[in-house]
Amino acid sequence: MAWALVSTIVDQLGSLIASEFKDRLGSLLPSEVGSIVNVKEEVEKLERKFHEIQAKLNDAEERQVKEEAVRLWLKKLNGVSYEMGDVLDEWNTAKIKEDIKKEEEAEASTAKRRKVLSLVSTFFQRRDIVLKIKEITEKLDEIDGEGDMYQFVLTSGNEEVVRPPTDSHVDVSNIRGREKVKGDLVSCLLGRGNEEERSPHVISLVGMGGVGKTTLAQLAYNVSELNSAHFEKKGWVCVSDRFNRLMVAKAIIKICGGGDSNTTDWPNLMDEMCETVRGKKLFLVFDDVWTEDYVLWKQFELALQNAAQGSRILVTTRNNRVAEVMGSAKRINLEELSDDDCWLIFSTIAFSDRDAEQRKDLEEIGRKISDKCKGLPLAARTLGSLMRFKKRKEQWEKVFCSRLWEFEDVERGLFAPLLLSYYDLPSPLRRCFLYCALFPKDYDFSDEDLVSMWMAQGYIKSNARSVASDYLEILFIRSLFQDFRGDEYDKNIMRFKMHDIVHDLAQFMAKNDCVTINGYEESRPNLQNARHLYLEIPQNAQIPESIYSAKNLRTLIVVGHDSYNVSKLFHHFRCLRTLSLGCHYGKLKVSDEIEDLMHLRYLKIPTWQENELPETICNLCNLQFLNITSNHPDGFEKLPQGMSKLINLKCLIFEEPLNNNFEFPRGIGRLSSLTKLSHFTVGGKDDCQRCELGELKYLNHLQGTLTINRLGNVVDACEAKNAELNKKIGLRDLRLNFFEENEENHGETDESVLNALEPPPGLEKLEIDSYRGTTMFPNWMMSLAKLKSLTLICGENLERSPPLGKLQFLEHLIIGAHGFRFKKLGVEFLGIESENKKDGIIKIFPNLKTLRFYHLLEWEEWIGIGGQEEEDCIIIMPCLQKLEIWMCPKLKSLPDFLFKTSLQEFSVRDSPILSERYQRGTGEDWAKISHIPNIEIDYNEVQRDGQEVIRPDDEEEFDQEEHV
């Protein structure tokens, strides 16, 4: 962590020297230059000193695991680095405020002179900052001198971590809990079962570090059935994450009898590998594969296709994506062991050479220690080996009650696989990983939230979202994160967790920096050196006074279920970069003192009493992420008027609901750094201070999802065009809501506004709500070549359906209404026009998978294409999987073409005529739908997986009839 922290300071100092001194000295008056040069020399001296210390840090960070003195030295260095970071941030904040002040004053005649004087004012009005730099330089000299006694090995950057090589030998005496998995694996390797044969036939063992993948592969490798009588050649290749294709190719050649190849030219080596494996039935183990490079693997796949049918490749990896890239025909996810199996491994080792009486005396505490293994066989073996030499029960209790890896006699072997993964990370990424120690065990992480917090701490540059995505991928690959899945409500957000032992490792490495407090705990940790605090407050409790000793906090996350006073937080924690306040049910008022948090980058805050935020929040000029949650029953109501001063704001999120009268302040368009804006609301038409849609014009970095509300307030197409939505190429999900309270009939305006909006061509999801036009099919819709999902919720003015069948890439379509006026749905919906017909086959909705109609109260007829000749040359919805018709009470029937598709699910609700027609057995059109595997009529399952569903009341009725 220290290496990355110091590296950041070095970068900041270098940037300061370049931007403040070298670029501007020429603009100053001669009388001003002398003082500035003295400060420049101090900053350069400090930069050199940090550079010198940086060279020692790779060695120091690895040694701290076992050397407490080194750990304490790093703690001092971290403290000074944090202090320096605050000083530089103060400097930068002064510059930002100066720039904002100049812009507000906007006096053109003196603007140039102010630019020249801004540097002078920064220096001379903030002499305290210069004095702090001198003090920090003195502290750093002292720390550097102390470090000399440790004789650190100097390095220029991260040292490469070499993993211990694996081989095919293993002691099976301590293997427990894998018998069934082993049997399944051996069967796959022997070709038993009915799986489709692929060449090469790849089987992947996937699981987190330490779960026993290599051990299981070794067991299978040494099974007698898998000898030379079954496979002509078999061999073991330790791949590791730095995939050396020459090394792997030469290992394969040697296994297959080609000897040691001296070829270094890749094409020649490929030819040699192809010829060596040709016609041979192989069993190869590729152990510890990390690379996801499909192109790299493809070359080996092509070579191995020359092997004989029945060849097998067994891969061990921590990453599911590796298994996918390698085209695995079979994937075995290796889960953690049961508590009983862990105990068997642990006790076999720990109780060796002990008599029965000793075993009985130690078994209770031993089982508690074994539970700490959390299903990892490696941890069980390591702990067992540790306890084997602890003779007395008091020693066992001491290990159980303490963080066992903190004892000086505990080697890193307990966390060997995890430490290897940790130290192999780039230094900046190590710091990101350790930050996760802040959160409680089993915490459900959100990638969006975690990355935002990393950026707020300066771990990742604020414009490097792609780098953050790479970091998450690496942490997942190393199994430091697990259980990745899509968010239940927003599929653009990924959620994941951290295994308990991985969390313990992070807490150990981030000792004292990251602290988690459950409000129910009686004991309180020492918080004087804490930098990041997660605090859970019980119901009806207040924030404990003890936390105010943590003067240097940079992160404070408060989770509570009732009211608590937050005003003291703003006064005590002036160094905060991240503040997240949670209040699920109670009342929380944000006071004006929030402006004291000058370093703040990330703010997640609920509102209640006044249902708005104080104006002083706009003085947080470093703020990058603002997430507003309203606990008020009427929804969040008002943003401060000075929002345009938040020039560094990148993310503005409103967690619904929003008040019906909510409006944006004017000037929001100045926040040109915004990358995420969850909602934008157009102001009322009659207000001269209204926020116009044109405020979006310069927000061209927006990404992800954007909802634009009250488009009914847009005056004309010109205002809509000024938004320049087509330039927001990062948007993927757009929701256009035309709702307007007390609205008049402005259908023509809605039509012209919709035509003028023109979303970016990369849009994947579009929702149009409360639209009042009589027709809908804007001229830009056909240009949305990536549009996969479309939702139309229209008002009663729409007279006919748009020709949506022309959308060739659409996969999901929902059509609903507040009351569609049309009564018929015909060929216009399919987009079939006689003048556009050509010879050959026409595909309508070629990629549509799901289709839903709901709340169409006047809809009576859905007319098909008609005519056998037309049916023969037109293919409609060939990929349709799911059809739902809800709340369409007058609809009489459905066209036959729907039931010639590949439908797997069919649902009818609150549509009585259809419900009767499609009743199982008795309905006149049951035969048309009976082939669909899953059918639901009026909330009742009729058919599931092709089988009739018998409800309990049906069974009772059937029994009564049988009895009669």
Side-chain angles (χ1 to χ4, degrees):
M1 189 170 189
W3 198 97
L5 186 58
V6 169
S7 177
T8 301
I9 299 300
V10 170
D11 289 344
Q12 289 177 327
L13 288 168
S15 176
L16 177 65
I17 293 169
S19 63
E20 292 294 344
F21 301 109
K22 294 180 181 178
D23 295 346
R24 296 194 182 184
L25 279 175
S27 304
L28 300 177
L29 299 174
S31 59
E32 300 166 343
V33 172
S35 298
I36 305 303
V37 168
N38 290 336
V39 178
K40 175 177 178 288
E41 291 174 352
E42 285 292 332
V43 175
E44 287 179 335
K45 178 182 177 182
L46 188 60
E47 183 193 29
R48 288 194 299 271
K49 180 58 66 176
F50 269 111
H51 261 302
E52 292 170 5
I53 291 179
Q54 189 179 29
K56 306 173 182 179
L57 292 182
N58 275 324
D59 187 37
E61 288 193 337
E62 290 203 22
R63 286 171 57 180
Q64 69 167 319
V65 177
K66 294 189 293 184
E67 300 179 39
E68 184 64 19
V70 173
R71 190 180 183 95
L72 293 174
W73 181 82
L74 283 172
K75 180 180 173 182
K76 289 182 182 179
L77 178 61
N78 283 339
V80 172
S81 299
Y82 279 125
E83 194 176 340
M84 188 67 238
D86 290 338
V87 170
L88 293 176
D89 205 46
E90 286 181 42
W91 189 304
N92 188 58
T93 302
K95 287 168 52 186
I96 293 173
K97 288 186 174 181
E98 183 74 20
D99 291 340
I100 293 173
K101 184 179 179 182
K102 286 189 301 179
E103 187 174 336
E104 287 178 340
E105 292 176 352
E107 296 177 8
S109 59
T110 58
K112 185 175 181 181
R113 180 58 182 161
R114 279 203 180 92
K115 185 175 181 180
V116 173
L117 291 179
S118 63
L119 175 62
V120 180
S121 64
T122 300
F123 283 122
F124 291 98
Q125 292 178 13
R126 294 188 169 271
R127 294 178 184 274
D128 56 328
I129 296 179
V130 178
L131 293 175
K132 288 178 183 178
I133 291 177
K134 290 183 179 181
E135 292 174 5
I136 291 172
T137 304
E138 293 173 1
K139 291 180 183 179
L140 208 58
D141 284 336
E142 182 180 342
I143 291 171
D144 191 27
E146 290 179 9
D148 291 339
M149 72 178 70
Y150 301 113
Q151 299 180 337
F152 293 120
V153 176
L154 303 183
T155 60
S156 58
N158 271 350
E159 291 183 336
E160 180 180 349
V161 177
V162 180
R163 292 181 179 82
T166 59
D167 56 43
S168 58
H169 302 288
V170 64
D171 178 8
V172 299
S173 61
N174 295 323
I175 303 301
R176 297 290 187 276
R178 299 300 190 202
E179 290 79 12
K180 184 180 185 306
V181 181
K182 173 190 168 186
D184 292 342
L185 176 58
V186 171
S187 293
C188 293
L189 293 171
L190 290 170
R192 297 170 184 161
N194 297 319
E195 68 270 19
E196 183 180 348
E197 192 71 14
R198 300 174 62 177
S199 181
H201 193 91
V202 180
I203 302 165
S204 291
L205 282 175
V206 184
M208 69 178 298
V211 80
K213 301 181 299 295
T214 297
T215 301
L216 183 58
Q218 291 166 336
L219 285 171
Y221 187 90
N222 289 296
V223 168
S224 57
E225 292 177 272
L226 300 173
N227 54 24
S228 56
H230 191 83
F231 292 105
E232 186 177 349
K233 297 288 183 181
K234 72 174 186 176
W236 185 283
V237 183
C238 185
V239 179
S240 193
D241 67 322
R242 299 187 183 278
F243 195 103
N244 185 324
R245 62 178 182 175
L246 297 177
M247 181 275 291
V248 174
K250 289 180 179 182
I252 293 173
I253 291 170
K254 186 174 182 180
I255 290 168
C256 294
D260 293 319
S261 176
N262 296 320
T263 305
T264 57
D265 180 68
W266 176 246
N268 291 335
L269 197 61
M270 267 287 291
D271 292 340
E272 186 176 349
M273 182 168 51
C274 288
E275 288 304 312
T276 307
V277 305
R278 191 178 302 279
K280 295 184 176 70
K281 190 176 181 182
L282 306 177
F283 174 31
L284 302 177
V285 177
F286 290 167
D287 186 46
D288 198 22
V289 181
W290 293 69
T291 183
E292 298 175 15
D293 190 334
Y294 173 79
V295 175
L296 190 60
W297 164 244
K298 191 66 178 178
Q299 299 170 71
F300 286 90
E301 184 180 35
L302 291 172
L304 293 169
Q305 284 177 356
N306 293 294
Q309 194 75 5
S311 294
R312 295 288 185 269
I313 296 172
L314 178 60
V315 175
T316 73
T317 180
R318 301 185 188 184
N319 185 4
N320 274 301
R321 287 184 59 187
V322 170
E324 294 171 4
V325 166
M326 298 186 75
S328 302
K330 173 76 173 179
R331 183 186 310 178
I332 299 175
N333 292 305
L334 205 56
E335 304 294 343
E336 293 88 345
L337 293 178
S338 68
D339 290 343
D340 288 342
D341 286 325
C342 268
W343 167 247
L344 284 173
I345 296 172
F346 172 85
S347 61
T348 298
I349 301 172
F351 290 157
S352 61
D353 302 325
R354 295 183 192 269
D355 57 34
E357 186 176 345
Q358 287 177 314
R359 288 172 178 247
K360 183 178 180 180
D361 186 44
L362 295 173
E363 181 170 346
E364 182 179 355
I365 185 66
R367 286 189 177 274
K368 292 181 180 179
I369 294 174
S370 175
D371 286 344
K372 286 181 171 288
C373 299
K374 302 296 182 183
L376 292 180
L378 176 62
R381 288 198 297 272
T382 305
L383 272 174
S385 298
L386 173 69
M387 304 317 299
R388 180 179 179 181
F389 302 101
K390 304 289 183 183
K391 300 299 182 184
R392 301 188 307 276
K393 187 175 182 179
E394 305 90 82
Q395 292 176 308
W396 285 54
E397 290 173 342
K398 186 177 180 181
V399 170
F400 171 71
C401 295
S402 303
R403 295 183 182 273
L404 51 91
W405 45 88
E406 293 182 28
F407 292 113
E408 62 182 8
D409 58 334
V410 176
E411 300 295 328
R412 70 169 63 180
L414 177 63
F415 287 123
L418 300 178
L419 281 172
L420 281 169
S421 290
Y422 170 74
Y423 279 121
D424 194 51
L425 298 173
S427 290
L429 184 48
R430 293 184 202 171
R431 186 167 54 167
C432 293
F433 167 69
L434 295 185
Y435 188 78
C436 300
L438 166 67
F439 301 90
K441 286 187 176 181
D442 205 38
Y443 184 81
D444 198 18
F445 289 96
S446 152
D447 65 338
E448 187 171 271
D449 222 25
L450 182 59
V451 166
S452 297
M453 290 184 182
W454 285 346
M455 290 182 175
Q457 297 299 318
Y459 299 165
I460 301 173
K461 292 181 180 179
S462 58
N463 60 348
R465 179 69 65 166
S466 61
V467 173
S469 297
D470 291 342
Y471 280 10
L472 288 172
E473 286 287 331
I474 293 171
L475 291 173
F476 183 50
I477 288 170
R478 307 298 170 91
S479 292
L480 298 174
F481 289 152
Q482 62 182 29
D483 297 338
F484 266 69
R485 66 204 181 282
D487 185 82
E488 182 179 357
Y489 302 104
D490 187 346
K491 298 306 179 183
N492 294 318
I493 296 175
M494 294 299 298
R495 308 201 73 89
F496 48 91
K497 292 188 177 182
M498 179 181 278
H499 190 278
D500 283 356
I501 289 186
V502 178
H503 186 272
D504 289 341
L505 170 69
Q507 283 196 321
F508 171 63
M509 300 302 292
K511 183 180 180 182
N512 298 326
D513 258 23
C514 299
V515 179
T516 303
I517 297 179
N518 183 314
Y520 297 96
E521 295 174 356
E522 295 182 2
S523 60
R524 298 282 186 230
N526 186 339
L527 297 175
Q528 290 185 355
N529 297 311
R531 303 290 175 174
H532 312 286
L533 175 62
Y534 184 102
L535 175 64
E536 185 174 346
I537 303 176
Q539 194 168 0
N540 301 319
Q542 288 291 319
I543 294 176
E545 291 291 325
S546 60
I547 76 164
Y548 296 115
S549 63
K551 298 291 185 183
N552 298 312
L553 278 185
R554 289 187 164 216
T555 299
L556 176 60
I557 299 174
V558 182
V559 179
H561 296 272
D562 214 318
S563 309
Y564 52 86
N565 183 6
V566 298
S567 58
K568 290 180 69 174
L569 301 179
F570 307 145
H571 176 71
H572 279 83
F573 302 125
R574 302 291 185 89
C575 297
L576 282 177
R577 267 70 171 170
T578 296
L579 176 61
S580 177
L581 299 175
C583 184
H584 298 301
Y585 307 114
K587 301 178 181 180
L588 185 150
K589 181 179 179 180
V590 183
S591 61
D592 290 341
E593 287 78 12
I594 193 171
E595 67 176 339
D596 293 338
L597 306 180
M598 61 176 291
H599 301 285
L600 202 63
R601 264 77 171 171
Y602 177 103
L603 177 60
K604 185 171 185 179
I605 196 160
T607 62
W608 180 273
Q609 289 181 348
E610 297 180 4
N611 202 19
E612 58 185 53
L613 296 174
E615 195 67 32
T616 55
I617 203 171
C618 300
N619 295 328
L620 299 174
C621 59
N622 288 305
L623 196 64
Q624 297 176 6
F625 306 94
L626 177 57
N627 188 313
I628 301 170
T629 304
S630 177
N631 289 325
H632 196 282
D634 295 330
F636 183 65
E637 187 171 299
K638 186 179 180 181
L639 278 172
Q641 290 299 308
M643 289 291 292
S644 61
K645 294 193 291 184
L646 299 176
I647 60 175
N648 285 305
L649 197 65
K650 299 183 181 299
C651 187
L652 178 56
I653 302 296
F654 302 95
E655 295 191 6
E656 298 185 79
L658 292 176
N659 188 279
N660 288 336
N661 297 317
F662 175 83
E663 291 186 7
F664 270 75
R666 294 187 71 177
I668 204 79
R670 297 178 189 172
L671 306 182
S672 57
S673 296
L674 277 176
T675 59
K676 191 168 183 66
L677 178 63
S678 63
H679 293 77
F680 179 86
T681 301
V682 182
K685 295 180 180 180
D686 299 329
D687 185 358
C688 63
Q689 296 295 315
R690 65 187 288 265
C691 182
E692 297 183 353
L693 190 58
E695 292 273 6
L696 294 174
K697 180 174 183 178
Y698 298 107
L699 307 185
N700 289 334
H701 299 297
L702 291 179
Q703 300 174 4
T705 300
L706 171 64
T707 297
I708 304 178
N709 293 313
R710 293 169 69 180
L711 281 165
N713 285 333
V714 176
V715 174
D716 53 32
C718 184
E719 182 183 343
K721 195 174 184 64
N722 285 339
E724 296 187 359
L725 290 184
N726 61 323
K727 294 184 178 180
K728 282 71 172 164
I729 59 175
L731 286 180
R732 294 292 176 265
D733 184 348
L734 181 63
R735 301 167 189 176
L736 305 175
N737 193 329
F738 285 81
F739 176 79
E740 178 191 0
E741 252 188 7
N742 302 319
E743 58 184 294
E744 300 176 9
N745 192 343
H746 292 296
E748 291 184 7
T749 304
D750 282 8
E751 289 178 26
S752 61
V753 167
L754 184 62
N755 270 300
L757 284 173
E758 193 176 353
L763 204 66
E764 296 175 1
K765 185 175 182 180
L766 175 64
E767 180 177 319
I768 301 174
D769 193 359
S770 302
Y771 178 75
R772 299 164 298 182
T774 57
T775 61
M776 178 199 292
F777 199 69
N779 50 24
W780 43 258
M781 192 168 281
M782 288 304 298
S783 67
L784 301 181
K786 295 184 179 180
L787 190 67
K788 295 181 179 179
S789 177
L790 177 62
T791 299
L792 305 179
I793 306 172
C794 303
E796 62 181 12
N797 294 340
L798 195 64
E799 296 176 349
R800 56 181 295 180
S801 166
L804 301 177
K806 293 182 177 182
L807 298 175
Q808 298 294 297
F809 302 96
L810 198 64
E811 296 181 4
H812 309 282
L813 175 60
I814 298 175
I815 298 180
H818 304 300
F820 262 147
R821 181 178 295 176
F822 74 85
K823 296 184 178 182
K824 291 184 180 182
L825 191 66
V827 292
E828 78 282 350
F829 169 66
L830 302 176
I832 302 174
E833 299 172 0
S834 58
E835 61 269 22
N836 293 332
K837 289 184 180 179
K838 298 180 180 179
D839 294 336
I841 300 298
I842 300 174
K843 288 189 177 182
I844 307 298
F845 287 115
N847 291 293
L848 194 66
K849 297 178 181 177
T850 63
L851 176 61
R852 178 194 299 172
F853 292 94
Y854 75 97
H855 211 272
L856 304 178
L857 303 181
E858 300 299 320
W859 186 21
E860 296 179 1
E861 293 183 77
W862 187 351
I863 303 171
I865 57 176
Q868 184 63 40
E869 182 180 344
E870 287 188 338
E871 291 185 10
D872 290 341
C873 67
I874 298 176
I875 298 177
I876 304 174
M877 305 180 189
C879 299
L880 192 65
Q881 300 286 307
K882 186 174 184 179
L883 174 64
E884 297 174 336
I885 310 291
W886 297 347
M887 297 183 70
C888 301
K890 296 184 179 181
L891 185 59
K892 299 173 183 177
S893 64
L894 300 176
D896 288 343
F897 70 75
L898 287 171
F899 307 117
K900 297 178 182 179
T901 65
S902 54
L903 270 177
Q904 300 296 305
E905 298 179 55
F906 177 56
S907 173
V908 173
R909 296 180 183 176
D910 302 311
S911 306
I913 300 175
L914 294 184
S915 297
E916 185 177 348
R917 292 183 71 101
Y918 296 113
Q919 278 297 330
R920 184 183 187 91
T922 61
E924 60 181 290
D925 285 338
W926 166 254
K928 293 181 179 180
I929 69 168
S930 60
H931 66 284
I932 301 173
N934 301 287
I935 302 173
E936 178 199 87
I937 305 294
D938 288 334
Y939 306 94
N940 294 317
E941 277 191 290
V942 175
Q943 195 157 279
R944 184 194 306 138
D945 297 328
Q947 301 297 318
E948 181 179 1
V949 176
I950 304 297
R951 299 192 303 277
D953 54 339
D954 293 336
E955 291 180 350
E956 183 178 345
E957 182 179 339
F958 178 77
D959 290 341
Q960 290 175 352
E961 290 177 355
E962 281 289 306
H963 179 70
V964 173

